[in-house]
Structure formats: structure tokens, C-alpha cells
Amino acid sequence: MIGLEHYLVLTGILFSIGIVGVIRRTNLLMLFFSTEILLNAVNIGFAAVSKYYGDLNGQIFSFFIIAIAASEVAVGLGLLVLWYKKEGTIDLTSLQMMKG
Amino acid sequence: MYEIIAFYTFSALVIGLFGIVVLSKNALYSMTALAGGMVFISGFFFILDAEFLGVVQIVVYTGAIMALYAFGMMFFDTTRDVKEDIRCKKIFYTLSILSAVLVLIVLSAPIFSANIEAIYPTLEGVGNVQTIGLLLFTKYLVAFELAAIMLLVAMIAGIVLVGKKLDAQSDDLEVAKELK
Amino acid sequence: MEKYLYIALFAPLVGSLFVALFASRPKMLFTGILASAFIGISMIASFVLLFHVYNHEPLHVEMMDWISAGNIDIPFGFIVDEVSVIMMVTVTLVSTVVHVYSIGYMDHDKSFNRFFTYLSAFVFSMLILVMSDNFVGLFIGWEGVGLCSWMLIGFWYHKHSASWAANEAFIMNRIADLGMLMGLFLIYWNVGSLQYSDVFEAVKTLNPALVGTIGVLLFIGAMGKSAQFPLHTWLADAMEGPTPVSALIHAATMVTAGVYLVIRCGEIYTIIPQVGFGIACLGAFVAVFAASMALVNNDLKRIIAYSTLSQLGYMFVAGGLGAYWIALFHLMTHAFFKSLLFLGAGNVMHAMHDELNIKKMGGLYGSMKATAILMSVASVALAGIYPFAGFFSKDKILEVAFNEGAYFLWFALFIGAGLTAFYSFRLVMLVFFGEKKYGHELHPHEAQPFVIYALMPLGLLAAISGFFEHSFREFTTRLLSDYGVHLEHHIEVILIASTLGIAISGIAFAIYMYGKRGGFSACWEKSFGYKVLSNQYYIPKLYEMVIIKPFGVASEFMWKKIDVKIVDFTVDLIARVLYASGEKSRKMQSGNLSDMLRWMIVGIVILLALAIFYRPMV
């Protein structure tokens, strides 16, 4: 029998992968991929907890997270395309205007 | 038994695919790996008796989001390898390892309040899709509607942003100057 | 009846607030008239209350809950009993006269409206002070009159001396108020209430030593307000204010608040006769001490101020010896004739174009008959000549001192009576009689007729109010403990005769010296005694040497060494550290999004670490 801990550890591993991606990537598109990984990792955690406690709230939360991910991608990609049109690159290093 | 096999298979696949997503130099490879990972994650949902979520995962992620990415990538030059030089490798490794360890500790720590009582228990004899539907349209109705509006807004924003011509901006500026 | 109480109390406030709307405007005659009318209404209401209390019973109302926190429960209550109604009548009567008088006196002042705002506000505070049924209300009024006094002494704030005098008065009063406040705290600590009735009930069972401390602390407050030694210097300097202010605040009402306090707390002082005797001794000392300073002073208003001081000393003798009704009686008669004296002096000042030196006046009788007569009446009353008011009240105080067996007190007061008679007539003689000593370009003229008419009631009261002695005694002793003088008849006659004798001889000596001989010879002014007296016993100099200068040095030290080098330095240090850390951490904002993401991860790591290692107290 697979315990809850297994799922949580899996969540942790996937989340860490996502974090590594966030730190490592400088290509904006790849950065988006990494955030998707973070969101999915959390989704697994929610679904697992929901199952092991017999409470549906976790699934509902996962559902809303998916909705948010979808909207984020739509807006984010739009902005990305705009930026690419303007600068011809989607590298993070091209975004240096917010210098303190 | 099957559950265990499925769990470990899916876990290995997902970790491997996501590893490719994060580490690959080619954007096309990464995106393909991500799409595969998403499909396998829906497998976890099915194991966890969350059929509705599993279906939504496949439809939304692999169907919609990945399609969006695929279209988005058409704008960019994806055949070239992505050049990424990691600055300050020391910081990078410390941060990665530290956060990974901490996340793992947090999630694998024994759960203290084991006697949580379910507020919305899964109902015996009623399908998962049905119960989720009941919950979404009663308790979470407002959130659901708001999510719908949010998606609509995001869709419009995406269309407007992508469809916008760059010169239009300068045109706008000129119009604004004339108005002044 | 309650509504009369509220009318009496709040009419001055309404007047003050209304006039305050025009405070910064140029002179508008109606503001003065309106303010006077409101005070007049208050006076009428006070008289109605007087008759009510006389015929029926005292009034006690609670307007609303005021302070209600924890164990403290202080209602906004007012009491109109035999004592407060006498004070109310005295205050409102004198205030009305002073208001009307001020319309004439402040005629040419550009801050005419502002003056009436302050004056009416003062009357309101004074009424709060006398009408409150608890110590907190009394204290509020006490501070209110102090504030108004500060504003009015410093009314001509552009004059440096005026603002200095205002500050001096205010600071001296602060010192005394500290004593009073501690007394109130002590009462609250031990009694648990600040209502008069509760407190007077409870003090009977308290430890006498404790009651003594309370009595002394309260009296320190009274000393400040009533300018008793050693806090007396402010009163003479307060004469920088406009003359109506001197008449109202520094003669008739505010300075008597200390006496009122002693009378009101009579039940406390009855328990501690030693403290009372100490008060009486101080009073007798001040009576002679102040009178001696008045002998040689040449400043018209200061002479009257010293005389006020001396008369306050008389009142404290009576209050300290337990003859509360006599103290209150003298307070009332003194309010009448002393404010009359001040207002008359105001007329003289106007006529002489603000000249204050009485050596430069003389022979004003010819041009200012009405003022001269009124001031003479007031002076006779002050000197205590039968049948004027002062005779009845002051003579009683002397009898009390004799009756108590405190012969040296009696002797001091006896000497004081002689000095009083002498200096008041020295003033009258120098100002109104003798030869003219002012220049020919001056043409003194009498004040406007309505001003003189306004002074008439005071003149009348100064002359006849003494005859109310018996009904006054009967009335006030319903509340206050009665004090009867039990002397054999012939001794009493001798006492009265000797007091009258010394007063008359003082007057006669003054008339002889300044009328016939034209004053003392110049060698007097070089003598040691004269110098000591005219320099007020060098007390202001002493204060400057002993208190002001060391305080200045200490302040300088605190400022240069402690404030700048420690306090400011600490504050600056904090600012510098923040600034430097900001300057250093500015580099974090490289503008590189990748770096920012890393910082975000650092934040997540810290939060996770907190989540693991931080255990809140369960």
C-alpha cells in the first residue's frame, strides 16, 4: 500500500525540481515551464491529502490551481510575444530596466 | 500491487521528464517533456480516485496549455539551443540543495494532527465527478464564477497582447500628442 | 432650579465662544456688549440661586458621567451650596462690572474682541472651579483659570516684559499645582473617591499624619494660586496685564481660589489644627511682609498688588485658624473694594497715558473727582475704617487671632493694619492730592460716564457690604463650622478701638506726610531699609541667583553634553545605520530578473526554515 508520505515526498522532489528550474533558467519560456512544474507538484500533494483524509477540499483547490495556471499562461505568453516582437529576444538578461 | 507498480513507474517517469524540462538546452525538447510529464501526473490523479481532476489535467494542461505553448513557440526561434550560462554557481547549488532539503523535510515530516475531520467527506456510492460538481456549485460557487471571469479576462488579455501591432503603440502616442 | 445653575455656568462659555469667532477681527463694539450681557445673565442666575439656597436647600446636580474607568468614577457634577453660591455671586458680580468697564478701558485696543474672549473664558473656568462637586472638577477649573491668567497677563504679548510675566506666573503655578496634584493622588489612594462628600466623610477615620500630608500638599497648591510666600513674586509681575485683568483675576477672583480651597477643605483642616496654625502663621507673615513692600513702591498697580497679597495673608490667617466663614467674608468684601481700587487705578492710568509712577502724578482730584471719590472709598474700606466693609471683615480676623491666644499673630496683623492704612493713603495722597508733578502737555480727563456708573455698584458694596455680616454668618455657617469669638466685652471693645486707632493714625500720618510736608526727605530713600523694601527684600534677585542661574547652567549642560552627545547621537546613529545598510543593499537591485528570482528563493528558504524550526508557544 502506498502511504501518504510517498506522495508528499514525490511532491517535494517535483517542487525542488521546479525551484532548480526557476533559479537556473534565464530563458523566459523555460522559466514558465518551471512554474508549471511547481504548480503541478502542489496539485499532486493536494490530491493525495484529499484522498487520505477523505476530504474533497483538496481536489477543489487543485482544480482552481489549474484554472489559475491556465490564465497565467494565456497572459504570460501574450506578454512574452509582445516582448519578443519588441526586442527580438526572450532572454531574462534583456529585462534590465528595473535597476535600483 | 498494481497501485504500487503504477506509482513507482509514474514517479520515475515524471521525475525524469521534469528533469529534462529543467535541464535541457533545447526548448522543443523541454516542452515535449513537459507535456509528457503532465499526462503522467494525471495518472496519479486516477490512482488517487480523483477522476475529475485527472480528466481536467489532461484536457487543460496537455490540451490547452501545451497547445498554447506550442503556438507561442512558433513566434520564437526554437531550433537554436538556448544559451544559458549560470552565474555564481556556488549560490545556485547551495540554494537548490537547501530548498530541496527543506521542502522535503517539511513534506515528509510526520503530520501532527492526524485526526483531521473531513469537512466535505467523499460520499460512498456517489461518483467523484458528482461530488465535485455538488461542491463546486454550492459552497464554491462564487469562487467558481470568479475563476470563470478570470479565465475570460486572461483570454481577452492574451488575444489583445498578441494581436497588438507594435507600431500601433507609437500611433497611439502620436494621437495623444495631437490631442494635447 | 437646575436650569439656573446651567445658565449661570454656561452663559460665560457661550459668550466666550461666540466672541471667539471674531477674535482676530478688528474691534467690534458688539462683542464687548454681548460678552458683558452673557456675564450679566450669569450674574442674575447666580442671584436667583443665592435666594434659592437661602430660602430652600443647596442644589446638587450631576450633568453626566465624565470619567468612568476601572475604579475611578467621576461624574460631571456641580454643587451650589452656601459656599459656592457666595463665590458665584462674588465672581459674577465683579466680572460683570469688569466686563462693562473693559468696554471703556480697552476702547482703543486693536485686540478688543480677543480680550473679551479670554475674559469670559476665565469667568467660565472660575465658575467650574467653585461649582464642581469633586476635586477633579476643581482641578480642571484651577488649571483653566491658570491658563486664562497666562493668556491675559501676556495679552500684550509683543511686550517682552508681559510675556515674561505671563510665563513666570504660569510656571510658578505649575510648581504649586504639582503639590496640589500629589495631594489629590494621595486622597484618591486612601479614600478611593474624589467627591467632596466622600472625602470629607473618609478623612475623619484616616491616620492624622496622612491627613496632615494631604493638607500640606493641597495648601501648596493654594500657595501658588494665592501667591503666598515663597511663590509670591509672580503676582506683582502679573501687573503687566491690562488693568481690568488685574482687577478681576489678580485681586478679586483667581488669587482667592487658594482661600476658597482652604475653606472648602475646612473639614480636612479641622482635623489637623497644627497645619492650620502653620497656614495662619504664613498668612500673618505675608500680611506684614507684603504690606511693607507696598510702603515704598512707586508703581501704582504694584502697590495694589502687594496690598492684595497682604489681604490674602489675612484671609489665610482666618482660614488657618478655623474661622472659615470669616475668611470667606473677607474674601467677598475684599473682592469688592480691591477690584474697585484696581479699576480706579485703571482710570488714572488712562488719564495719565499709561504712566504708573505715582511720584509723577498728584493733584488729579481736580480733573477726576468721581474716580478719586471711588478710590478713596475703596482705600478707606481697605484700611478698615467703620462703617466700611473692610472694618467688619478685617477686624473679625484680628479678633480671631486674639481669641485663639496667638498674640504674636494678632500683633503682626495689627501692625499690618497700620501699614495698610498708611500705604493706601500714601497712594491716594500722591495720586489725587498734593501738587501736580506731571508735564503740562498732559491733560488728564475723567473716564467715560458709563465706566463710572459701572463702578458705582462696587463702590456701594465696598461701603455697605459689611452690614451683612450677621446674615452672612447665619447663611454660611449652615455648611461651614461656626466660629464664635468668645472674648469679654471690654477686651473686644479695646481691640476694636486699638485697631481702628492704628488704622486712623496710619491714615493721618500718610495725610500729614504727603499732604502737608510733601513726602519724606530724600535721605530716607538712601537708607538701607528703604532699599531692601523697594527691591522686594531682594527675593527676585535671590531667586535669580539661586534657582534661575543654576537651572540655566544645568540646562546648558544637559543640552550640550547629554542631549547633543548622547540622545541626538543615538538618533543619528540609527539613521546612519539605516542609511548605510540601504546604500549597501542597493546593490541587490541589479535589475536582473534572474537575481531577483534567486532572492525570492532565498526568502522561501528562510520561510521554510522558520516553518521547521520555529515552534510557537503552545
Side-chain angles (χ1 to χ4, degrees), chain B:
Chain B
M1 189 60 204
Y2 286 117
E3 205 190 343
I4 296 171
I5 295 170
F7 175 79
Y8 283 114
T9 321
F10 284 141
S11 301
L13 280 168
V14 167
I15 291 170
L17 285 169
F18 281 177
I20 294 171
V21 172
V22 173
L23 299 173
S24 163
K25 283 187 175 172
N26 191 313
L28 213 52
Y29 289 170
S30 308
M31 197 198 70
T32 322
L34 186 67
M38 297 296 183
V39 174
F40 290 124
I41 281 178
S42 75
F44 286 115
F45 292 149
F46 287 115
I47 299 175
L48 288 167
D49 293 338
E51 295 93 1
F52 180 70
L53 259 187
V55 173
V56 167
Q57 171 84 9
I58 293 178
V59 171
V60 174
Y61 266 112
T62 21
I65 294 182
M66 295 321 294
L68 258 180
Y69 276 130
F71 281 118
M73 283 179 72
M74 290 177 187
F75 284 89
F76 316 124
D77 188 6
T78 47
T79 47
R80 254 189 315 169
D81 280 358
V82 179
K83 260 192 268 167
E84 282 173 331
D85 47 333
I86 304 164
R87 299 179 303 117
C88 309
K89 288 205 173 168
K90 251 188 212 162
I91 297 178
F92 165 66
Y93 288 124
T94 1
L95 272 182
S96 308
I97 294 166
L98 208 61
S99 54
V101 168
L102 285 172
V103 168
L104 279 175
I105 291 174
V106 167
L107 290 175
S108 58
I111 294 165
F112 285 102
S113 45
N115 53 347
I116 299 172
E117 230 171 84
I119 306 171
Y120 294 101
T122 40
L123 302 172
E124 288 296 321
V126 184
N128 172 260
V129 182
Q130 257 175 308
T131 30
I132 294 265
L134 270 175
L135 213 51
L136 268 185
F137 289 102
T138 53
K139 159 104 176 171
Y140 290 101
L141 183 64
V142 176
F144 184 72
E145 300 283 353
L146 284 176
I149 292 171
M150 181 183 72
L151 281 168
L152 179 68
V153 169
M155 185 181 82
I156 294 171
I159 294 168
V160 168
L161 285 173
V162 177
K164 202 174 189 179
K165 278 185 197 147
L166 267 185
D167 340 335
Q169 237 177 358
S170 44
D171 283 354
D172 284 349
L173 280 175
E174 271 164 32
V175 170
K177 271 181 196 163
E178 275 167 27
L179 279 176
K180 269 183 187 173

Side-chain angles (χ1 to χ4, degrees), chain C residues 182-234:
Chain C
M182 291 201 304
L184 296 191
F185 287 154
L186 214 55
I187 290 175
Y188 181 71
W189 240 348
N190 293 294
V191 179
S193 166
L194 287 165
Q195 296 285 322
Y196 290 145
S197 46
D198 298 344
V199 173
F200 298 149
E201 199 57 45
V203 284
K204 288 171 190 153
T205 56
L206 284 180
N207 178 4
L210 186 70
V211 180
T213 319
I214 291 172
V216 169
L217 286 172
L218 288 181
F219 181 64
I220 288 174
M223 269 162 68
K225 257 306 163 260
S226 296
Q228 293 300 291
F229 182 85
L231 299 173
H232 63 280
T233 51
W234 69 267

Side-chain angles (χ1 to χ4, degrees), chain C residues 168-180 217-237 255 282 285-286 289 293 309 312 539 543 547:
Chain C
E168 185 193 14
F170 201 69
I171 292 165
M172 284 259 184
N173 273 304
R174 286 284 73 63
I175 297 169
D177 290 350
L178 182 67
M180 171 142 173
L217 286 172
L218 288 181
F219 181 64
I220 288 174
M223 269 162 68
K225 257 306 163 260
S226 296
Q228 293 300 291
F229 182 85
L231 299 173
H232 63 280
T233 51
W234 69 267
L235 187 61
D237 290 327
V255 288
L282 185 70
F285 167 67
V286 171
F289 169 75
M293 290 193 282
L309 215 53
L312 286 168
I539 285 175
Y543 283 175
I547 298 171

